[in-house]
Amino acid sequence: HDGSLVQAFNGLIDDVALYNRALEQSEIQQHLHYLNNPNQVNVDPYASNVVLLMHMNGSDGSAEFIDEKGHAVTANGDAELSTSDSKFGGASMSSSAPGDYLTIADEFDFGSGDFTVEFWASLNNTGIIQSLLQLGTLESGFRLYHYSSGIDFQHFGDPSCFLYAHEPSHAMETNSWNHYALVRENGEIHLYYN
C-alpha cells in the first residue's frame, strides 16, 4: 500500500502470500494442512499462482524484507525482522507504532479480478484498533484490521460503495498466531480465519 491508511499494528506478521486467483475454502484448508504438518513436505500446491511471497526470514533487527518473486519491499518506520517469535522459519516482521509498515511497489492491479492474500499474525495488544493488512489507497483499496472485539474488513473501491463487515466472534488472544486468508472471487469478498 501507499501508507495513506496506516493505523497502528502492534505485533508480528509471518509468511505473506498473494495469489493471482481465488483459493477455495477447501484449498486453503489443504494448504494449512501442508504448512502445519511437520511430516509433510512443505510444498505449496498453488505455487504457480503466487505473485508475492514473503517468508519474513532474516537476521534480528534487519529492515531487509525479501519477496521471493523479486518485488522491491521497503520498510517504513521501525518495521523490522524479529527472531523473538515466528510461525515459520525463525523470524517474523515486527511492528509496534503507526509508522511501522512495509511498502511494495503497486504492481498488483487485479482490477475486479480474483485474488487471495494469506498471512499469519500475532498481536501484542488486542485492546486497540490496528491494521493487519492494507492493499491499495483510500480511493481503491482494502483494509483488514483487528478491532477490540473482532475482525473488520473495509473495501474502498467505488465512492458510492462502502462495504463494512464485522466479525465479533473472532476475538484473538494476545501473542497467539492466527491465520488469515482474504479472497475475492467473482466480485465477492470472503475472509477465512484460522
Side-chain angles (χ1 to χ4, degrees):
H1 75 86
D2 68 357
S4 63
L5 302 175
V6 175
Q7 286 183 293
F9 174 71
N10 186 351
L12 304 168
I13 300 277
D14 206 355
D15 238 44
V16 178
L18 178 61
Y19 300 81
N20 62 4
R21 66 175 282 256
L23 295 180
E24 301 292 330
Q25 184 175 7
S26 61
E27 293 173 319
I28 293 167
Q29 290 170 337
Q30 179 185 17
H31 190 214
L32 284 174
H33 171 76
Y34 283 116
L35 292 174
N36 289 317
N37 188 340
N39 298 322
Q40 199 83 26
V41 175
N42 286 334
V43 175
D44 186 346
Y46 316 107
S48 63
N49 297 105
V50 174
V51 295
L52 174 83
L53 180 60
M54 298 178 61
H55 293 297
M56 305 298 184
N57 295 336
S59 302
D60 193 45
S62 172
E64 182 179 357
F65 293 88
I66 305 295
D67 167 32
E68 301 296 327
K69 297 297 183 175
H71 299 99
V73 180
T74 303
N76 297 277
D78 292 327
E80 64 183 13
L81 292 170
S82 171
T83 57
S84 66
D85 191 15
S86 68
K87 181 65 180 173
F88 304 105
S92 57
M93 185 203 78
S94 174
S95 171
S96 60
D100 301 349
Y101 62 94
L102 302 180
T103 304
I104 302 166
D106 191 15
E107 300 177 27
F108 308 109
D109 184 8
F110 294 111
S112 60
D114 297 347
F115 68 85
T116 301
V117 60
E118 67 172 345
F119 62 96
W120 293 85
S122 174
L123 282 72
N124 296 335
N125 181 348
T126 59
I128 59 174
I129 297 172
Q130 49 189 313
S131 294
L132 297 170
L133 171 74
Q134 295 176 6
L135 298 172
T137 66
L138 189 57
E139 289 77 32
S140 62
F142 300 92
R143 175 171 58 180
L144 179 65
Y145 62 96
H146 173 269
Y147 194 73
S148 60
S149 61
I151 303 166
D152 292 324
F153 171 76
Q154 294 178 327
H155 173 226
F156 310 102
D158 179 346
S160 65
C161 173
F162 176 76
L163 175 65
Y164 173 79
H166 180 66
E167 186 54 64
S169 63
H170 290 91
M172 294 184 291
E173 295 181 24
T174 57
N175 304 312
S176 175
W177 286 102
N178 296 280
H179 179 263
Y180 301 86
L182 181 66
V183 179
R184 183 171 68 187
E185 182 174 27
N186 298 323
E188 292 186 13
I189 300 292
H190 303 273
L191 173 63
Y192 301 100
Y193 170 79
N194 284 341

